[in-house]
Amino acid sequence: MDNKIKTALTNSDKNNIWHPFTQMADWLNDDPCKPLIIDRAKGSYLYDVDGKKYLDGISSLWVTLLGHKNPRIDKAVKKQIDKVSHTTFLGLTHKPAIDLSEKLLKILPDNLKKIFYSDDGSTAVEIALKMAYQYWQFKNEKRSFFLSLKNAYHGDTIGAVAVGGTDLFHSRFRSLLFKSFFAMSPYCYRCVYRKKEIKFPVTAENFKDHNIQMHCRGQCIKEVESILVKNNKKIAAAVIEPINQAAAGMIIMPKGYLKEYANLCNQYGIPLICDEVATGFGRTGKMFAVEHENIKPDFICLSKGITGGYMPLAVTATTNEIYSAFLGKYEEFKTFFHGHSYTANPLACTAANAVIDTLNQNKILQKLQSKIKHLEKELTSLLEHYRVGNIRHCGVMAGIEIVEDKKTGKPYDSKLKTGAKICANLRKHGIIIRNLGNTLVLFLHLTMTNRETSKIISAIKIELDNL
Ligand SMILES: *Cc1c(COP(=O)(O)O)cnc(C)c1O
């Protein structure tokens, strides 16, 4: 692109736009990296306005599922545009949404029977929270607390923030929020309960150390139980990101934790909301993360990968038990008074139908298993690096925690912005990933090739050597 046009675009962006999760003072100063102006994309790659290509190692922030510009989704959406691009879902319905609900109910846990549409991850969670809250009113119980986990992330709207446990994002709003209980996050590498047990450095031999994991799990579950023992009658629902607290830096739960957590909710009669906004549609190696531990939650929230990254769409799936509590005469006003302008947008539903068809017909999940093994092999070798403190991964999601001192696990001072600097330098290798603090995050397309995965890991190694 002509430099003059590029400069004009950059200036216009800087003059007019406020970017999400961005310190705009840094953005204006081109720090840590120049605004990259994306022009087009294909497969695993994004191309900037100069035609330079970048390997997208984070699925454009966890949404593109089957690569960019997927021919099947492209075709389906184009066809739907020729029919109708939007119609309200209040008092009307349409085939793309009807087809999608059938397809979803076939692949979701079989206790889930109803699909409520909205348009992003935050709204999917808000809807589950509101449904649970209203449900207890029909049972003549006033329950206004929720159970969540420290380090949890469920979105940025206020209800989702109320069950968010990431102080950096959420503490500023605390006084505005409804009350939630936060149990310990099962973050084994830095679990406060097992400081003494921690084995540093964490190497390939002990990074999956069963005893450390089981000890962490036991302590964390005890805390959930003690909250439930004391407060179960106040709690409207428990909300959890199954298997992976992704936005906290890919905190993977110890094996069995989720099952125990779900069992406790069941024992105390607390509806369970599983937020699969990040983990859904194969990212963990199974269609949904709950399948790893055979959980049947009362709600599942879906978004991000659902349309393959084409269009905003979200789903809150729930049981007949919850749904039927809302049935009644019009004048009883049991109606769930909630909806968004773009609820069940037909283009978005069409994209989602194409995604599920592709997952099913192209055996994407079967093919994925060897790719996951390859990623695991690469990550295991990276763990030997003296700057890598811990690696956590599940399916095609991975967090690589960079430390100043591997022996003690001492983190880099956040002022140094080590994680962000590594990501900025990786752009020079033609690779786009993002950091969460000092954890480098990989969130791969299900269609990523082994060569592409290896390319990312090699470039990370080079940048770690340069630290
Ligand atoms: C991203 C995310 C959300 C929020 O989704 P938005 O579409 O950004 O509102 C909620 N929950 C989890 C687990 C997420 O990863």
Side-chain angles (χ1 to χ4, degrees), residues 62 120-122 153-155 241 275 277-278 304:
W62 316 356
D120 56 55
S122 309
Y153 179 79
H154 296 290
E241 296 156 86
D275 176 355
V277 169
K304 289 203 167 109

Side-chain angles (χ1 to χ4, degrees), residues 37-102:
I37 310 173
I38 297 300
D39 181 44
R40 63 200 167 84
K42 192 164 194 317
S44 304
Y45 290 92
L46 294 163
Y47 295 80
D48 73 7
V49 285
D50 294 322
K52 186 168 186 300
K53 70 175 187 176
Y54 296 86
L55 191 46
D56 181 356
I58 45 158
S59 299
S60 288
L61 222 71
W62 316 356
V63 299
T64 45
L65 189 76
L66 303 169
H68 294 276
K69 212 164 170 303
N70 178 287
R72 186 164 182 168
I73 310 174
D74 281 9
K75 201 172 147 206
V77 173
K78 283 176 184 166
K79 208 169 143 202
Q80 182 60 34
I81 286 180
D82 285 335
K83 290 186 172 176
V84 55
S85 293
H86 188 67
T87 143
T88 179
F89 216 53
L90 279 65
L92 297 176
T93 192
H94 52 77
K95 191 168 185 303
I98 295 168
D99 288 349
L100 181 57
S101 64
E102 273 184 29

Side-chain angles (χ1 to χ4, degrees), residues 163-174:
V163 290
T166 308
D167 284 344
L168 175 66
F169 308 153
H170 303 141
S171 62
R172 207 174 276 287
F173 301 100
R174 206 54 82 198

